[in-house]
Amino acid sequence: MGTVVLTMKASVIEMFLVLLVTGIHSNKETTKKIKRLKFNVPQINCDVKAGKIINPEFIVKCPAGCQDPKYHVYGTDVYASYSSVCGAAVHSGVLDNSGGKILVRKVAGQSGYKGSYSNGVQSLSLPRWRESFIVSESKPQKGVTYPSALTYSSSKSPAAKAGETTKAYERPSVPGTTPQPVTLTQVVAVTTADASHTTLPKPSPFAASTASSPRPQPAGHRSREMGLWSTPTYTSSQNRPGANPGFVPKEELSTQSLEPVSLGDPNCKVDLSFLIDGSSSIGKRRFRIQKQFLADVAQALDIGPVGPLMGVVQYGDNPATHFNLRTHTNSRDLKTAIEKISQRGGLANAGRAISFVTKNFFSKANGNRGGPPNVAVVLVDGWPTDKVEEASRLARESGINIFFIAIEGAVENEKQYVLEPNFVNKAVCRTNGFYSFHVQSWFGLHKTLQPLVKRVCDAERLACSKTCLNSADVGFVIDGSSSVGTGNFRTVLQFVANLSREFEISDTDTRVGAVQYTYEQRLEFGFDRYSSKADVLGALKRVGYWSGGTSTGAAIHYALEQLFKKSKPNKRKLMILITDGRSYDDVRIPALAAHLKGVITYAVGVAWAAQEELEVIATHPARDHSFFVDDFDNLYQYVPRIIQNICTEFNSQPRN
């Protein structure tokens, strides 16, 4: 019996040793696999900008062809995060145009970025930007773990288009439903997302009755209820233990009804975002007044797919979208959704909210239609707790019409606490009173309803809808003389096409026309001929080479009469003249006539063009409007610079 027991014990020990060895071998194999996975480098496209990637440091693989000038780069050595990652790598010399792996590290924003030409890439200058990055060879540093899948600031990852591998997981299925796949990249993005990029969770049904501890407020920040100074309170749903501020629930479904629903007012086609103040200073009663005002606006606007669309963002410490432009497409559903909004509390960081709306709200994914004007209406109780000027400038330059409604502004003894004096005029699109409302009391807010609705629907006066790329009549005056030659003429047409691609072309946005000249002149097509970018590019391909002499002065006069005379009054008039030699006639009088008629003239000279003649033709200052290229093949390098100068000049116009 004892022998049997000993034999059994030996067998058990032997089995244990076998399992142990097998486990060790398995762990070694697993470790090897993990090591192999660790070196998977994500691939990105040439057009991916550093600012779209959340990771502070990462290694990526760039494809070939990123030297193309359409991938814009800003800065030298240290690049603004608005730059193409791979374009910056080529500019810095870390990569050539064949692509490869690079190490990218985010650094602080700079007060200025200087453009330069390096390694076949022309980088541009930029006054300042919020974030920078540097690129180096892809040598991993010891102790640093690099991500094998990048986290992007938007839900649609550009890496997916580049073929980046992301493993798909499935949520546990509910009986009667189909499981929805979720990529690993999306999981990372949700768990690491900043609170400023979240969608508000539904309010707790017990929020109104459950009190929580107050949060400290900065000196001089008002907290009022019924006109009294009081301690701010917060709902239990905001501060309860275990609450996840980064949770992104599904958006509430619109209520359904059998009643006929309006398609909206076609005379007020606008994409509208309301930025409502959810800070602690506003108090519960005033927050309810604000919601009632929003509901009244929704009713007055007659929301619908052929009319205005409206979304709401609430801001406190951080902004969050309650619903976007596509969530509710009629006034009834919108009013119901507004009623369910709960107050967030916190500070009144309106500047941060404006930046959030500029970057996130007016996107195609959120229902932005592209054609209608974009309008953001900011309501603020008293004054913001951060600065709004810079955020508003970037919003305006993005084509967003900023309106401000300031309620119960600072009285004399409170002005010392206002972080940014005269903040309303620093924010709005024009300082002529059209874009701003100063309301003495929350109880008088309803009086602004009709004036506001009338103004946001007045598309002709929404000045910030006009950007440097969508509000011009651009006339190209092209030298077709014998010295150009057939091959070079096609290169010039490609240069014209590259410039045209940068503009938003339609019958209501930028329009394009073209004149070719030798001794004589020919209208290739006028401003009213083509109303899409594809049609303009197709027309340029069909332009035939003429050949002859070079009468540039006569060509300018012809363009003024046959092209710009038919320009719309509300359009900026831009003439871009390309020539390869000295004119046979005088250019001074026609050039002066163009300047007096408000035509902004850019003169581009190639090869044998006379520099002094280009400066006479160009609008003052000539250094910003005249360009000389030594060879036709180098014309493409000047596309970004010309576009930047056009936009810089547009954005420097006074706002009053």
Side-chain angles (χ1 to χ4, degrees):
M1 186 66 178
T3 305
V4 173
V5 171
L6 287 172
T7 304
M8 288 177 66
K9 286 183 177 178
S11 298
V12 170
I13 292 170
E14 186 178 351
M15 288 174 64
F16 175 75
L17 289 173
V18 170
L19 289 171
L20 182 63
V21 171
T22 304
I24 291 170
H25 178 73
S26 177
N27 285 340
K28 284 181 179 179
E29 289 299 314
T30 303
T31 303
K32 287 179 182 178
K33 288 179 181 178
I34 290 171
K35 286 182 177 179
R36 284 197 297 270
L37 285 172
K38 188 169 66 175
F39 292 100
N40 285 346
V41 176
Q43 182 173 329
I44 61 174
N45 289 333
C46 295
D47 60 355
V48 174
K49 298 173 183 177
K52 290 289 184 183
I53 301 173
I54 294 175
N55 308 82
E57 190 169 353
F58 51 90
I59 294 176
V60 291
K61 185 177 181 181
C62 293
C66 296
Q67 195 179 54
D68 194 306
K70 70 181 179 181
Y71 307 121
H72 296 171
V73 178
Y74 299 86
T76 301
D77 297 329
V78 178
Y79 301 96
S81 63
Y82 196 62
S83 306
S84 156
V85 173
C86 299
V90 176
H91 181 269
S92 66
V94 175
L95 291 182
D96 57 26
N97 201 35
S98 61
K101 298 177 183 178
I102 56 170
L103 173 62
V104 180
R105 183 162 57 88
K106 299 282 188 72
V107 294
Q110 306 290 305
S111 58
Y113 299 84
K114 188 175 181 181
S116 64
Y117 182 77
S118 178
N119 301 305
V121 176
Q122 175 68 55
S123 70
L124 305 174
S125 298
L126 199 65
R128 59 177 174 268
W129 199 249
R130 62 185 177 277
E131 183 184 54
S132 312
F133 69 99
I134 55 177
V135 291
S136 57
E137 295 180 1
S138 60
K139 294 180 179 178
Q141 298 181 14
K142 290 183 179 180
V144 179
T145 303
Y146 298 98
S148 58
L150 302 176
T151 305
Y152 291 86
S153 61
S154 60
S155 59
K156 291 186 178 179
S157 165
K161 293 186 291 184
E164 181 182 340
T165 304
T166 55
K167 185 176 179 181
Y169 291 84
E170 289 190 352
R171 295 189 180 97
S173 60
V174 178
T177 63
T178 303
Q180 298 298 318
V182 181
T183 66
L184 184 61
T185 308
Q186 289 171 329
V187 173
V188 173
V190 170
T191 56
T192 60
D194 187 272
S196 63
H197 293 79
T198 63
T199 302
L200 285 176
K202 293 180 182 179
S204 165
F206 307 105
S209 60
T210 309
S212 63
S213 57
R215 179 166 22 173
Q217 294 295 319
H221 191 70
R222 292 185 294 184
S223 180
R224 300 166 305 186
E225 182 60 32
M226 293 300 294
L228 299 176
W229 291 68
S230 61
T231 304
T233 58
Y234 297 85
T235 64
S236 60
S237 61
Q238 291 166 325
N239 284 340
R240 66 179 184 273
N244 180 8
F247 173 68
V248 185
K250 290 184 179 179
E251 292 176 334
E252 298 176 21
L253 295 174
S254 300
T255 57
Q256 301 296 318
S257 173
L258 298 177
E259 297 176 9
V261 176
S262 170
L263 293 177
D265 180 4
N267 296 316
C268 180
K269 198 167 186 179
V270 60
D271 288 343
L272 179 64
S273 171
F274 267 87
L275 285 68
I276 62 172
D277 189 341
S279 63
S280 302
S281 71
I282 192 174
K284 293 180 181 178
R285 183 170 182 181
R286 288 172 173 79
F287 190 75
R288 286 197 298 271
I289 293 172
Q290 185 176 214
K291 289 203 303 179
Q292 184 58 54
F293 177 72
L294 252 63
D296 293 342
V297 169
Q299 184 64 45
L301 281 173
D302 188 11
I303 301 297
V306 301
L309 293 178
M310 177 175 157
V312 175
V313 171
Q314 183 183 172
Y315 66 91
D317 291 334
N318 293 299
T321 302
H322 281 284
F323 34 85
N324 60 35
L325 297 168
R326 67 166 71 238
T327 311
H328 303 292
T329 55
N330 63 74
S331 296
R332 183 193 59 224
D333 291 347
L334 191 57
K335 289 169 65 180
T336 302
I338 289 169
E339 180 58 34
K340 296 177 182 178
I341 295 175
S342 60
Q343 186 178 356
R344 303 197 74 193
L347 302 176
N349 290 331
R352 185 175 294 179
I354 294 169
S355 295
F356 172 78
V357 166
T358 302
K359 297 171 194 172
N360 301 284
F361 188 87
F362 291 106
S363 66
K364 189 174 182 181
N366 286 334
N368 187 37
R369 292 171 287 183
N374 294 336
V375 174
V377 180
V378 185
L379 286 89
V380 62
D381 173 52
W383 58 88
T385 52
D386 64 349
K387 293 186 177 182
V388 301
E389 182 175 15
E390 180 64 13
S392 299
R393 182 184 68 81
L394 293 173
R396 294 193 306 267
E397 291 178 4
S398 300
I400 300 172
N401 294 273
I402 300 286
F403 284 78
F404 246 82
I405 303 177
I407 306 104
E408 298 185 12
V411 296
E412 197 59 40
N413 64 344
E414 294 175 328
K415 289 182 179 178
Q416 59 180 316
Y417 301 122
V418 179
L419 184 64
E420 191 175 33
N422 199 28
F423 65 88
V424 171
N425 277 347
K426 292 177 180 177
V428 295
C429 290
R430 291 287 185 272
T431 57
N432 57 8
F434 180 80
Y435 288 89
S436 57
F437 297 87
H438 295 271
V439 183
Q440 296 300 315
S441 166
W442 277 96
F443 303 105
L445 180 60
H446 66 280
K447 296 178 182 178
T448 66
L449 174 63
Q450 291 304 325
L452 176 66
V453 168
K454 184 177 180 180
R455 293 180 195 184
V456 299
C457 293
D458 190 352
E460 290 300 318
R461 295 189 65 183
L462 294 179
C464 282
S465 297
K466 298 178 176 66
T467 70
C468 58
L469 301 177
N470 73 1
S471 60
D473 279 343
V474 182
F476 292 98
V477 181
I478 305 167
D479 184 349
S481 60
S482 303
S483 58
V484 175
T486 305
N488 288 334
F489 186 75
R490 305 319 301 179
T491 302
V492 170
L493 290 180
Q494 185 59 54
F495 171 68
V496 172
N498 289 341
L499 283 169
S500 299
R501 282 191 182 94
E502 297 292 326
F503 292 95
E504 298 171 25
I505 298 173
S506 76
D507 53 355
T508 57
D509 295 312
T510 289
R511 304 185 304 169
V512 174
V515 167
Q516 183 182 175
Y517 74 95
T518 57
Y519 284 127
E520 300 176 280
Q521 307 83 34
R522 182 169 72 198
L523 180 65
E524 300 294 353
F525 53 89
F527 293 134
D528 56 356
R529 181 73 179 276
Y530 301 111
S531 58
S532 75
K533 190 178 297 186
D535 288 343
V536 168
L537 297 178
L540 288 171
K541 289 180 181 179
R542 295 191 295 272
V543 172
Y545 175 49
W546 207 354
S547 186
T550 309
S551 295
T552 306
I556 295 172
H557 176 77
Y558 180 87
L560 292 177
E561 291 299 315
Q562 300 300 319
L563 200 57
F564 288 98
K565 211 167 192 178
K566 299 177 182 179
S567 182
K568 291 183 178 180
N570 61 340
K571 298 286 186 183
R572 294 175 75 225
K573 302 174 184 64
L574 303 179
M575 180 191 297
I576 301 177
L577 184 144
I578 307 106
T579 181
D580 81 325
R582 187 181 292 275
S583 177
Y584 293 170
D585 62 353
D586 183 52
V587 300
R588 289 173 294 180
I589 294 175
L592 179 61
H595 302 162
L596 292 175
K597 291 181 179 180
V599 178
I600 302 169
T601 307
Y602 290 83
V604 182
V606 191
W608 302 280
Q611 184 69 45
E612 70 276 9
E613 199 169 80
L614 296 175
E615 293 177 358
V616 169
I617 295 169
T619 296
H620 179 79
R623 66 176 181 275
D624 295 330
H625 298 86
S626 66
F627 307 89
F628 180 79
V629 188
D630 57 356
D631 190 271
F632 284 95
D633 290 337
N634 294 328
L635 271 171
Y636 75 94
Q637 297 175 7
Y638 285 81
V639 171
R641 187 174 168 190
I642 292 171
I643 294 297
Q644 184 189 33
N645 286 10
I646 288 171
C647 288
T648 299
E649 184 172 44
F650 178 87
N651 294 330
S652 65
Q653 293 176 337
R655 293 194 296 116
N656 51 15

